[in-house]
């Protein structure tokens, strides 16, 4: 069983910063790509950023220059540093982890429960 747990959400004023963390735990062979997605009320879930096990990153155009994804492979943890936050960034942020349970087997993806980020004055 693999668990994915996010933390770090909250209420912040426009222009402020937050750092989200997501830790994957359990029994698995490898932890592959990890990423952050978000879903605002009435909207579909969208990609925010992803990072490979080797550190290659992709950031959505809407967050480039403001958000930075990083990971600590020793801790099986991915981070999302969010700066210059805007009201449009308000959403539930979900962590996604792609895991190979047994060497040579399929890759599975797991989702965290989500953490609320609210940007408001």
């Amino acid at each position: 069983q693999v668990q994915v747990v996010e933390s770090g959400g909250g209420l912040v004023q426009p222009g402020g910063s937050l750092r989200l963390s997501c830790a994957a735990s359990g029994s698995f062979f490898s932890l592959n790509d990890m990423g952050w997605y978000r879903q605002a009320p009435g909207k579909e879930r969208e990609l925010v950023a992803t990072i490979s096990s080797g550190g290659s990153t992709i950031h959505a155009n809407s967050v480039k220059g403001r958000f930075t994804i990083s990971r600590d492979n020793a801790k099986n943890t991915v981070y999302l540093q969010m700066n210059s936050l805007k009201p449009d960034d308000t959403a539930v942020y979900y962590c996604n982890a792609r895991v190979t349970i047994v060497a040579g087997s399929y890759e599975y993806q797991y989702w965290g429960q989500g953490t609320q980020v609210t940007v408001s004055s």
Side-chain angles (χ1 to χ4, degrees), residues 9-59:
L11 172 64
V12 63
Q13 292 186 343
S17 298
L18 279 176
R19 188 192 196 207
L20 305 182
S21 300
C22 169
S25 62
S27 179
F28 47 82
F29 173 73
S30 66
L31 181 58
N32 308 322
D33 289 4
M34 299 186 76
W36 291 96
Y37 293 72
R38 67 186 181 185
Q39 186 166 20
K43 295 186 177 181
E44 294 186 354
R45 189 173 297 189
E46 64 176 4
L47 171 71
V48 176
T50 63
I51 185 167
S52 71
S53 57
S56 297
T57 62
I58 296 174
H59 293 80

Side-chain angles (χ1 to χ4, degrees), residues 62-102:
S62 60
V63 306
K64 279 182 180 177
R66 300 187 300 121
F67 292 10
T68 302
I69 190 170
S70 62
R71 68 190 283 170
D72 184 335
N73 288 333
K75 296 181 179 179
N76 291 335
T77 299
V78 63
Y79 305 97
L80 186 67
Q81 178 66 44
M82 304 186 292
N83 299 327
S84 302
L85 281 159
K86 306 174 182 179
D88 283 350
D89 295 318
T90 296
V92 177
Y93 284 69
Y94 295 92
C95 179
N96 176 272
R98 295 181 179 272
V99 176
T100 301
I101 302 297
V102 176

